[in-house]
Amino acid sequence: SRSARADRRASNRPLLHAIGGPWRGMEPQTIGHVQEQLDSAFSTMRGNMQMMAERDSQLHSMAEKTNEFSSSAARFSQGAMQLRRQEEMRRRRMILLAVALAMALAWAAVAYRLRGEPYFRKFLQASAAAAAALVLVASAVLRCCCGHEEPDGSQPAE
C-alpha cells in the first residue's frame, strides 16, 4: 500500500513541478506533503463518486420496485373488485333460486289441490304463461341491473 502511494506520488511529481508558480523553490518534503494531501483528496473524491454511483443505482432499483408495486397493487384492486362483483352475482342468483323454489313448491301445492277440478287445464295454461313471462322479466332485469356475465364469471368486452 505504501509502495503504491509512493509510486503515485512519484508519477504525479512531474505534474507538480510542471505547474510552477508557488511550487518553485519549495522543499521536497513540503511538496511531498502537498502531494499526499492531493492524493488523499483524490482518493476521497473517487470514493464519493463511487458512493454516488451506488446510490444512483439503488435509487433506480427502488424506482423500479415502486413501479412494480404500484402496478401490482392496481392489479390486486381490480381483481378484488371483480371478485366482489362475482360474489354479489352469486348471492343474487342464490336468492333468485330460493324464490323460484318457493314459488314452484307453492304452485305444486295449488296444482295438487286443483287436480280434480274442471278448470285444472286452464290453471296449467295460465301457470305456464306466467312462468314464461317471469323468466323473461327476470332475465331482462339481470341483464339491465346486474350486468350480464360470461360463463367464467368475467364481464363481457365492451
Side-chain angles (χ1 to χ4, degrees):
S1 174
R2 276 190 164 182
S3 65
R5 267 193 253 148
D7 290 341
R8 269 187 279 150
R9 273 187 273 155
S11 68
N12 289 333
R13 278 198 184 127
L15 174 69
L16 291 177
H17 289 292
I19 294 175
W23 303 107
R24 288 192 186 206
M26 294 182 96
E27 293 182 22
Q29 295 168 341
T30 307
I31 292 174
H33 180 66
V34 169
Q35 184 65 45
E36 285 178 9
Q37 288 178 340
L38 281 173
D39 289 344
S40 174
F42 279 126
S43 174
T44 302
M45 193 167 64
R46 282 186 195 106
N48 288 343
M49 289 174 63
Q50 185 177 7
M51 288 188 328
M52 284 176 48
E54 289 173 4
R55 186 172 297 140
D56 185 52
S57 173
Q58 290 172 349
L59 286 173
H60 284 293
S61 175
M62 286 181 6
E64 289 173 6
K65 288 178 183 176
T66 300
N67 289 338
E68 289 174 16
F69 179 71
S70 177
S71 65
S72 176
R75 285 191 309 268
F76 177 80
S77 178
Q78 289 172 349
M81 185 96 72
Q82 183 179 4
L83 182 62
R84 186 175 55 85
R85 275 189 244 123
Q86 288 174 358
E87 289 302 314
E88 181 67 22
M89 282 301 294
R90 285 186 184 120
R91 187 182 67 78
R92 289 178 182 172
R93 286 180 185 150
M94 290 303 291
I95 290 172
L96 185 61
L97 182 62
V99 168
L101 183 62
M103 290 177 66
L105 288 175
W107 179 84
V110 170
Y112 182 75
R113 183 99 163 114
L114 297 176
R115 71 181 186 275
E117 299 295 327
Y119 50 87
F120 181 67
R121 186 171 231 153
K122 291 197 187 270
F123 170 75
L124 288 178
Q125 290 170 348
S127 297
L134 185 62
V135 166
L136 289 174
V137 168
S139 67
V141 167
L142 284 175
R143 282 192 197 127
C144 177
C145 298
C146 303
H148 175 70
E149 287 188 353
E150 298 295 324
D152 64 354
S154 63
Q155 294 289 331
E158 295 181 13

